[in-house]
Amino acid sequence: MFSYIVRRLAVAIPTILILVIISFALMFAAPGGPFNSERPLPPQVLANISAKYGLDQPYWRQITTYIWNIVAHFDFGPSFKYKDRSVADIIKSGFPVTLTYGFWSFVIAVIVGVALGVVAAIRQNTWIDYFAVGTSVAAQALPNFVMAPMLVLLFTLWLGWLPGGGWNGGQWQYLVMPVIALSTSYMASIARIMRSSMLEVMNAGFIRTARAKGLPMNRIIWKHALKPAMLPVLSYLGPAFVGMITGSVVVDVYFSTGGIGLYFVNSAFNRDYSVMMGITILVGVLTILFNLVVDILYAWIDPKIRY
Amino acid sequence: MIIKTTMTATATAILLAMSSMAMADSHVMAGDVLAPADMQTFVSRELDEFPSIDPSLIQDVAGNDVARQLFEGLMNQDADGNLVPGVATGYDVSDDKMTYTFHLRPEAKWSNGEPVKASDFVFAWKRAANPETASEYSWYISLMSIANADAVIAGEKPLDDLGVAAPDDATFVVTLSQPLPYFPQMVVNAVTFPLPEATVTSLGDAWTQPGNMVSNGAYKLTERVQQEKLVMERNDQYWDNANTIINKVTYLIINDENQGLTRYLAGEVDKTEIPTGQYPRLHEEYPTQAQSFPLLCSYYYAINMSDTGPEAFKDVRVRQALSLAVDRDIIVDNVLQGGQKPAYTFTHWATAGFETPDVPAASMTQDERNAKAVELMTEAGYGPDNPLTVDLLYNTSDAHKSIAVAISQMWKQTLGITTNLANEEWQTFLDDRGNQRYQIARAGWCGDYNEASTFTDLMTSTSGYNDSKYSNPEVDAAAADAKTSDNPQADYTKIEQIIAVDTPIIPIYHYASVKMLNDHIRNWPVNNVQQNYYVKDLYKVE
């Protein structure tokens, strides 16, 4: 197992490197640049700015300098758009926010999603099943950019229970709507995956054996069915967890939470090269890391899997 | 017991309100009863995080709004947009109109108690021009025609050659490279604000952080959370602090404008922009809050007259026909619906000291315009047998799309022209338009200062923003003459009348700032076409 982890981590390094190079290439292939604006800058002003940010260097030089600064100094450079912050500042201030609302969304999505899926599977073709399936289809069909403004209308404008947005250091009142908006569609997916895999497991031979032995239903579900039924859900949870903790542009836009989800999209529009690269690397590293975690959990859940 | 407490609190509030009213009677209108001190707050919704709040680097309107509260420049604007004293009590102009001498008030102080000196302005202006600062707004220093500005920005001359000097602490002297009648209008921009040299030099980029920033305006920075908010509170060192009423200013970043509106209606913000098309409904429901003010920007379509443009556009009759067939009234009354005005000339109608020149199209009915347009197209050889097809490019946005769709329908119905609509993401759009990879492109321009040349200069052949690649020596000559003339209006009239004939652009409408504004707020600068507001001049009533 240990050598497996080391091997996986060793492969991660070239993977990240390729990610960086491809992102760099795509970035420079996109028309425009960070300092293009409605009002074209006089050439001498543009030259001053390009020199300051090293954009006057050849591409290979820019990319090697960039990678060297990260490896040697852990320096991701300054933001091109937000003049008084570095990429590190932006991530330092935005990532804890997305991590917080993403983590709670994950917890809620998993608990509610798994519960809905299990209940629907055991009570297949009853009203409980129809309700659970109906809810998850509705939750998945309702995009969060529709749900977010609806939540604000309901909880802020009509009921007056919650503030319409902001973060305020992550107080619970400011967390409720982002978590609902972010978790619903994940929850729906989890419920549906869980339901179908639970149905499959419940029809498997070893469950029939357990029933034949006369074990109580509770014990069959908790002790025998749940663990193998979780396998397909688990492979979904790795990327889903990364997706949630790196935030959502919809949540950040509608609730002004200040997370990095917004920067991921805006930096591309603004051609804020350094921020775009910094967040891409962050998401890349997290994805690789959590895929590894999922693989390790696999081995723990399913004794047949050995590395 | 509870009732008594409430009553005492109310009585205290009234007393407080009365005492602050007595103190701050200079701009409180007679009969207004001030709201209690804890309600004297101003919360503004902003579209996006401020790219910078460092006055040398600010280049957007929102950044200027913030800087105007934190800092004070040489001159301020009053509610009508007229210049009033700021740090300077006034200025003298030399006979050749090339030297401006500003007299600074001795009582002006930084938030750390140090006096504001002329050298702080010298430092700030040099810093903005310094190639090492690499300010995107350094071009403004050259636009102000300060002596040697271009050479200093290009790094060809030392910083000390810039035409600014501080002969003593209370005198700031600016030398220009050419007379510029509207120069004083330009010193209300953030890039001209003074900077605390010691703080900036010792802290570097970190000087704009809360706790570090030293400023000389009515407010000082107390909190800033990225993509969430920026908070400032009263600067008790400000020379006119006694007359300031609003105690706390908050800028909330709310990216979505509908969300901004919801939070306004929930009472979380005092000011937010109204999304396109919603003004009539909101104005009916909230007549005292939904407001529309003229805003110094013009919306137009640029016609590509360069070699990459279609052959048809080389014919002035085709360009004129395209312009005539646009029914501006439908655009402003049915599409925008926010108090914008139809435009037949480029310069915004509300520009200070500017009188909109007469152009034939403005006084015709739309039927007459359409008839004339058809006539011109026929003369040019286009019609049912030889239909014209044009490409119309705009940057992705619902508002631009609605206008483009409406105009393409007008061209279709009146002239039988087929229009291919294309939208592009902002950066790609700018790249294509700036390099003349378009036929007709959407454009907008906001005045940098409240004077007509900020618009008319765009029509000169040397302007970097002349995306039509229009060139007419007469326009160039008139624009050059306006810089030194005692009566520039004659030049502006001439330019507008020439471009109305040559039609390098199709003016469509003049902007209005359409917003929801808390109706307890008084003294909002409704007549300031740049919508430059100073929170220190505002107050809230009961």
Side-chain angles (χ1 to χ4, degrees), chain A residues 33 36 38-40 45 48-49 82-85 90 93 152 164-165 167-168 254 256 262-263 269 271, chain B residues 51 134 136 138-139 153 208 224 226-229 253 259 263 268 425-427 430 444-445 448 464-465:
Chain A
N36 274 27
E38 184 123 39
R39 183 193 321 271
V45 175
N48 291 343
I49 296 168
Y82 300 103
K83 301 283 151 53
D84 37 17
R85 319 185 155 180
I90 287 176
S93 133
V152 179
W167 185 243
N168 240 14
Y254 283 98
S256 309
L262 179 67
Y263 283 100
F269 283 133
R271 306 288 193 270
Chain B
E136 286 169 70
S138 53
W139 64 266
I153 292 167
T208 56
R224 190 173 180 205
Q226 92 180 6
Q227 287 291 353
E228 188 188 350
K229 63 183 167 187
I253 318 292
Q259 199 68 354
R263 292 180 66 181
E268 293 184 18
E425 168 267 349
W426 183 238
Q427 287 289 339
L430 288 180
W445 184 257
D448 293 308
Y465 195 70

Side-chain angles (χ1 to χ4, degrees), chain A residues 31-42 44-45 48-49 52-53 80-85 89-91 93-95 148-149 152-153 156-157 162-169 174 252-260 262-263 266 268-271, chain B residues 48-54 57 59 129-139 142 150 153-155 205 208-209 224-229 253-256 259 262-263 265-266 268 425-431 433 442-446 448 464-465 467:
Chain A
F35 304 109
N36 274 27
S37 69
E38 184 123 39
R39 183 193 321 271
L41 293 174
Q44 72 272 25
V45 175
N48 291 343
I49 296 168
K52 178 168 173 178
Y53 290 99
F80 291 5
K81 160 107 180 169
Y82 300 103
K83 301 283 151 53
D84 37 17
R85 319 185 155 180
D89 290 336
I90 287 176
I91 292 179
S93 133
F95 189 50
V152 179
L153 275 182
T156 306
L157 195 57
L162 296 170
W167 185 243
N168 240 14
Y174 295 85
D252 288 336
V253 163
Y254 283 98
F255 301 112
S256 309
T257 34
I260 54 168
L262 179 67
Y263 283 100
N266 276 4
F269 283 133
N270 295 333
R271 306 288 193 270
Chain B
D48 207 348
E49 174 62 55
F50 308 99
S52 178
I53 55 167
D54 180 334
L57 301 175
Q59 48 169 348
N130 191 340
E132 278 174 33
T133 311
S135 167
E136 286 169 70
Y137 228 61
S138 53
W139 64 266
S142 84
D150 288 332
I153 292 167
D205 286 346
T208 56
Q209 304 296 330
R224 190 173 180 205
V225 186
Q226 92 180 6
Q227 287 291 353
E228 188 188 350
K229 63 183 167 187
I253 318 292
I254 306 174
N255 302 103
D256 184 75
Q259 199 68 354
T262 309
R263 292 180 66 181
L265 295 174
E268 293 184 18
E425 168 267 349
W426 183 238
Q427 287 289 339
T428 314
F429 169 78
L430 288 180
D431 198 49
R433 192 182 68 191
R442 177 260 148 191
W445 184 257
C446 293
D448 293 308
Y465 195 70
D467 286 334

